């Protein structure tokens, strides 16, 4: 659970941060790692659905590290947001990077 706070996790965390803020990646971009630290990227597409005004877009924005709009505005169509998250599964010797494609 606390792997991200350990020194071996620092290069993976640095690959998704820019000036200690989560870097925003486009649909075709991914974190750059040195060749000796390349790990598998596991991709998930997450479709966020629910009633209007309950905070779906705010949830995705906070997970992506982007500013959350203080006022309510309706999302037109579908917004796609890509979030990368390094993790080391229990029982695994090497970390993986999860690519979470949120569709809101």
């Amino acid at each position: 659970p606390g792997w991200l706070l350990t020194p071996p996790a620092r290069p993976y965390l640095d690959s998704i941060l820019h000036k200690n803020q989560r870097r925003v990646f486009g649909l075709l971009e991914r974190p750059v790692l040195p060749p000796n630290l390349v790990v598998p990227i596991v991709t998930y597409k997450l479709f966020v659905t629910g009633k209007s005004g309950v905070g779906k877009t705010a949830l995705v924005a906070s997970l992506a590290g982007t500013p959350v709009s203080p006022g309510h505005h309706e999302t037109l169509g579908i917004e796609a947001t890509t979030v990368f998250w390094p993790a080391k599964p229990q029982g695994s010797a090497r970390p993986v990077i999860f690519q979470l494609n949120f569709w809101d």
Side-chain angles (χ1 to χ4, degrees):
W3 176 78
L4 274 177
L5 303 175
T6 64
R10 194 65 205 179
Y12 300 100
L13 198 55
D14 287 342
S15 72
I16 64 167
L17 297 177
H18 177 70
K19 297 182 181 178
N20 283 337
Q21 296 289 334
R22 181 173 289 279
R23 194 172 145 221
V24 177
F25 291 94
L27 289 175
L28 301 177
E29 297 177 308
R30 58 184 50 217
V32 177
L33 290 166
N36 62 333
L37 295 178
V38 173
V39 294
I41 294 181
V42 182
T43 304
Y44 288 97
K45 183 188 289 185
L46 303 168
F47 182 70
V48 183
T49 185
K51 292 186 177 189
S52 178
V54 296
K56 299 176 297 293
T57 302
L59 170 70
V60 172
S62 65
L63 291 173
T66 57
V68 178
S69 175
H72 171 70
H73 68 280
E74 208 168 305
T75 304
L76 301 175
I78 294 177
E79 286 185 20
T81 306
T82 302
V83 176
F84 287 91
W85 194 259
K88 187 173 181 188
Q90 289 184 348
S92 175
R94 61 190 269 192
V96 297
I97 295 180
F98 291 100
Q99 177 182 353
L100 307 172
N101 297 318
F102 288 100
W103 287 48
D104 171 32

